[in-house]
Amino acid sequence: MAAELHVELVAADRKIWSGEATLVVARTTSGDIGVMPGHQPLLGVLESGPVTIRTSDGGTVVAAAHGGFISFADNKLSLLAEIAELADEIDVQRVERELERAKAEGDASAERRADVRLRAVAAR
């Protein structure tokens, strides 16, 4: 059996995904980070961006995460996001409308959130 790490991706309002993985890639304030089994312990701040999880069964889970924390110790990775949603749950047409509205209103934070959501969909 390949080496695995246990992953918990949690948003403020719900558990997004939980399971075994071989690799997780997320954006932190220090840049993108990849975490594999046996990685050194870490604690960091999540930036808005897609989170990619390579599952133990060979699949891929992608989520849009907006802020939060990442921690890893003893082959357990926790991603605690302020807001997160799986790419499969994202309504692309609605997000595209939100992006246009944000651009028209000059709302940079809403524009950034919409962009992250669209990048997560494209990455899945």
Side-chain angles (χ1 to χ4, degrees):
M1 180 167 80
E4 299 177 334
L5 57 111
H6 183 74
V7 178
E8 295 279 337
L9 173 57
V10 180
D13 60 342
R14 67 187 176 115
K15 182 187 291 187
I16 305 298
W17 190 86
S18 177
E20 305 306 312
T22 57
L23 171 68
V24 177
V25 178
R27 172 143 309 155
T28 70
T29 54
S30 300
D32 288 351
I33 187 168
V35 179
M36 298 175 70
H39 193 283
Q40 67 181 342
L42 76 91
L43 178 61
V45 176
L46 283 175
E47 288 284 319
S48 291
V51 172
T52 303
I53 302 167
R54 302 274 186 240
T55 63
S56 295
D57 63 6
T60 301
V61 174
V62 180
H66 307 278
F69 297 94
I70 181 172
S71 69
F72 181 77
D74 301 323
N75 275 340
K76 294 182 179 116
L77 179 69
S78 297
L79 298 142
L80 309 169
E82 294 172 20
I83 301 169
E85 60 189 315
L86 293 172
D88 294 340
E89 299 172 341
I90 296 172
D91 179 341
V92 174
Q93 292 177 337
R94 189 181 93 230
V95 175
E96 288 172 341
R97 288 190 305 270
E98 291 171 2
L99 179 59
E100 291 305 314
R101 187 177 323 116
K103 286 180 180 179
E105 295 173 359
D107 186 344
S109 62
E111 189 175 336
R112 207 169 25 256
R113 283 190 306 273
D115 179 62
V116 167
R117 294 168 77 204
L118 291 173
R119 285 190 292 134
V121 169
R124 72 171 170 193

